[in-house]
């Protein structure tokens, strides 16, 4: 291999490329399929449609990764990045899913608009970086994790605690008899214990894929207990295409579109930090032009997501961490991972198998996954000066308080205009808005150089997730 070729651009032998690419896929797989499962089940879609959402997500993951790593004129950071659906969009999308006027097609319309917005706004987003120092990004990421914990807890319980039924033409909430059953709780606990054991005693690659192995162990136990069924898996085909607009043409509503654009601003600010940290890890200079290309690829991936029946995309932090763990800097490794994701997306039987995994199994894993998101936010906040700057304490405290409103008091904003509900029912967006405003009020706005350094430092703190 010529010494003139930068390690990022080196093409490794194909067997090694495949093995290292598969490792990237395994590290992100559980997180990659979690969002379509959450949204599909929140919308009460039939199992075959949820399985299709998973296939579409894997397919679009592969496409977005190839765009980001191979690069095209003006698009793509050309660093070892794996792209996946961002958890930051889950809260707003759940709020949209809960509105009968918006639904899945309204979500796709908002995703498409957010993708176009991100492509256009990419060159300007780096100028917003001073608005998002670690005290802001750490708070936002912590609130994301706390908000998602509700999903993981309900999964572990076996679904939602109440079911909506129509009696005499009047909808009402009734206790879910399947919620909190001892068998389901036992399975969720088993998954959690397996993951903890692998994290404690596993090493290297085994520890990195502990969540995925825990889900597999839970699925095996569920099968043995007769809880997991494979009829839909057997009926699913081995190969099929992911076609655009499978569920129909997207619908566009003003507030959901604005909400998703705001989410993408937060996502792109997080991506900036990831790119800067990755540039340091790979010894490749990441200038403003490169940042714009990377953010534009986030927008292209999100646009492709809306077209191919899935959701907003961003660079996955756990894969950035894997680059640091393995020391392999070649972007062609993640290109191989993107190709593997594409192929998986074209195998419906694999998606049907994932969809067949009981909620209680995912609940045990969700407690770890979502808890780690919150812990990552807390870890970023450890770099914040609370000792000599008491204003930072107030910024975090009040922002988290606003973020909790939709969780603990769902009807808090019911008297406000209905069109604002998708925005006000997202604790993540409320926390982000309040954190930005309070930080600017208390601390002012840092210089661009300081903001870049803070973003890289925050991303380094997040790499272990």
């Amino acid at each position: 291999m010529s010494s003139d070729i930068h390690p990022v651009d080196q093409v490794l032998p194909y067997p090694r490329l495949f093995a290292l690419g598969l490792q990237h896929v395994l590290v992100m797989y559980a997180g990659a399929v979690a969002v379509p499962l959450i949204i599909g089940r929140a919308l009460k879609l039939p199992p075959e449609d949820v399985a299709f959402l998973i296939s579409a997500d894997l397919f679009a993951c592969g496409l977005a990764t190839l765009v980001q790593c191979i690069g095209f004129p003006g698009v793509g950071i050309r660093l070892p990045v794996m792209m996946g659906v961002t958890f930051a969009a889950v809260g707003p999308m759940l709020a949209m899913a809960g509105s009968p006027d918006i639904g899945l097609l309204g979500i796709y319309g908002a995703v498409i608009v957010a993708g176009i917005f991100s492509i256009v706004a990419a060159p300007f987003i780096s100028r917003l970086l001073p608005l998002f120092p670690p005290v802001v990004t750490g708070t936002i990421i912590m609130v994301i994790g706390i908000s998602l914990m509700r999903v993981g807890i309900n999964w572990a319980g076996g679904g939602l605690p109440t079911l909506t039924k129509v009696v005499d033409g009047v909808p009402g909430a009734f206790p879910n008899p399947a919620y909190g059953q001892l068998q389901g709780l036992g399975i969720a606990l088993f998954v959690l214990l397996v993951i903890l054991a692998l994290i404690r005693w596993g090493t290297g690659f085994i520890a990195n894929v502990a969540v995925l192995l825990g889900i597999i162990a839970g699925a095996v136990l569920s099968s043995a207990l007769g809880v997991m069924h494979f009829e839909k898996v057997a009926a699913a085909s081995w190969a099929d295409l992911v076609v655009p607009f499978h569920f129909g043409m997207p619908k566009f509503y003003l507030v959901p579109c604005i909400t998703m654009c705001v989410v993408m601003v937060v996502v792109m600010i997080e991506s900036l930090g990831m790119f800067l940290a990755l540039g340091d890890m790979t010894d490749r200079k990441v200038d403003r032009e490169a940042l714009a290309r990377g953010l534009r690829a986030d927008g292209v991936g999100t646009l492709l997501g809306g077209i191919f029946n899935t959701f907003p995309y961003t660079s996955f932090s756990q894969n950035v961490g894997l680059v640091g763990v393995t020391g392999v800097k070649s972007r062609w490794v993640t290109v191989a991972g993107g190709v593997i994701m594409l192929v998986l997306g074209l195998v419906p039987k694999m998606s049907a198998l994932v969809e067949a995994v009981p909620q209680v199994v995912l609940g045990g894993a969700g407690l770890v996954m979502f808890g780690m998101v919150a812990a990552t936010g807390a870890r970023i906040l450890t770099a914040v000066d609370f000792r000599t700057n008491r204003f930072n304490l107030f910024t975090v405290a009040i922002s988290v308080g606003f973020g909790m409103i939709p969780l603990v008091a769902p009807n808090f904003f019911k008297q406000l205009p209905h069109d604002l509900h998708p925005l006000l029912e997202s604790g993540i967006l409320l926390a982000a808005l309040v954190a930005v405003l309070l930080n600017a009020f208390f601390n002012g706005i840092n210089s661009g150089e300081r903001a870049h350094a803070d973003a890289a430092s925050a991303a380094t703190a997040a790499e272990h997730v």
Side-chain angles (χ1 to χ4, degrees):
M1 194 74 65
S2 171
S3 59
D4 293 336
I5 299 178
H6 194 282
V8 167
D9 299 317
Q10 288 181 352
V11 180
L12 305 178
Y14 290 145
R16 192 173 177 214
L17 270 183
F18 174 79
L20 292 170
L22 181 61
Q23 179 175 245
H24 271 282
V25 170
L26 292 175
V27 165
M28 70 174 293
Y29 192 85
V33 302
V35 176
L37 279 171
I38 294 170
I39 302 302
R41 287 174 173 171
L43 287 163
K44 297 181 174 59
L45 297 179
E48 55 272 20
D49 284 346
V50 177
F52 180 83
L53 281 182
I54 295 169
S55 290
D57 177 40
L58 295 174
F59 180 80
C61 274
L63 277 182
T65 299
L66 295 180
V67 169
Q68 188 70 276
C69 298
I70 295 176
F72 299 92
V75 180
I77 192 73
R78 298 185 181 96
L79 289 173
V81 175
M82 290 293 289
M83 301 286 286
V85 174
T86 173
F87 278 100
V90 171
M93 289 192 297
L94 286 176
M96 296 175 199
S99 172
D101 298 330
I102 299 174
L104 186 60
L105 296 180
I107 291 175
Y108 288 149
V111 171
I112 288 173
V113 169
I116 296 171
F117 164 79
S118 302
I119 294 170
V120 174
F124 309 102
I125 292 298
S126 63
R127 301 180 187 277
L128 295 179
L129 195 58
L131 295 176
F132 291 83
V135 68
V136 174
T137 56
T139 301
I140 294 171
I141 294 172
M142 185 166 64
V143 170
I144 289 171
I146 294 171
S147 299
L148 293 175
M149 283 298 289
R150 176 177 57 178
V151 176
I153 290 169
N154 283 333
W155 276 356
L160 294 174
T162 58
L163 299 175
T164 300
K165 296 180 181 179
V166 178
V167 178
D168 296 331
V170 179
F174 297 88
N176 180 0
Y179 190 80
Q181 289 191 351
L182 291 180
Q183 184 185 60
L185 295 179
I187 294 173
L189 178 61
F190 170 76
V191 173
L192 178 60
L193 293 176
V194 169
I195 294 173
L196 292 177
L198 291 172
I199 292 172
R200 173 64 179 83
W201 291 293
T203 57
F205 178 63
I206 296 298
N208 285 337
V209 295
V211 171
L212 181 63
L213 294 177
I215 291 174
I216 293 172
V220 171
L221 177 62
S222 298
S223 300
L225 295 175
V227 177
M228 185 173 176
H229 307 287
F230 297 93
E231 293 83 1
K232 297 280 194 311
V233 180
S237 60
W238 279 103
D240 198 5
L241 295 176
V242 177
V243 296
F245 308 123
H246 172 83
F247 295 99
M249 294 304 294
K251 297 179 180 179
F252 302 93
Y253 302 97
L254 180 61
V255 172
C257 289
I258 294 174
T259 301
M260 200 60 71
C261 289
V262 174
V263 170
M264 285 306 297
V265 171
V266 175
V267 166
M268 288 193 288
I269 292 293
E270 293 175 12
S271 292
L272 280 179
M274 295 299 168
F275 296 152
L276 292 169
L278 199 52
D280 288 340
M281 294 165 64
T282 58
D283 300 316
R284 168 159 281 183
K285 180 177 174 57
V286 178
D287 56 19
R288 178 164 286 181
E289 181 184 350
L291 289 174
R293 292 200 312 267
L295 296 179
R296 201 173 284 119
D298 277 8
V300 170
T302 299
L303 175 60
L304 290 172
I307 293 172
F308 283 98
N309 321 286
T310 180
F311 310 110
Y313 283 87
T314 186
S315 53
F316 259 33
S317 60
Q318 55 263 57
N319 294 92
V320 174
L322 187 59
V323 173
V325 170
T326 63
V328 178
K329 303 175 182 179
S330 172
R331 62 189 169 102
W332 296 102
V333 168
T334 50
V335 168
V339 172
I340 293 170
M341 297 290 275
L342 270 177
V343 173
L344 288 174
L346 299 176
V347 182
K349 198 173 286 291
M350 178 66 70
S351 300
L353 180 63
V354 173
E355 195 282 329
V357 175
Q359 281 187 318
V360 289
V361 172
L362 297 174
L367 292 175
V368 178
M369 286 193 300
F370 303 150
M372 283 300 291
V373 175
T376 297
R379 182 172 177 177
I380 292 172
L381 289 174
T382 60
V384 175
D385 178 15
F386 292 111
R387 185 179 298 275
T388 62
N389 185 347
R390 64 190 182 95
F391 295 143
N392 286 331
L393 284 171
F394 289 103
T395 299
V396 175
I398 297 170
S399 301
V400 171
F402 269 84
M404 293 300 98
I405 290 174
L407 290 181
V408 301
N411 295 322
F412 190 84
F413 295 112
K414 69 176 184 178
Q415 300 298 331
L416 294 177
H418 179 73
D419 287 344
L420 294 177
H421 283 194
L423 174 62
L424 297 173
E425 291 170 3
S426 169
I428 297 165
L429 291 184
L430 282 176
L433 180 61
V434 173
V436 167
L437 292 176
L438 286 179
N439 176 69
F441 173 69
F442 283 130
N443 298 321
I445 299 174
N446 289 329
S447 66
E449 292 77 8
R450 172 68 182 277
H452 276 70
D454 286 345
S457 174
T460 301
E463 284 165 16
H464 71 290
V465 178

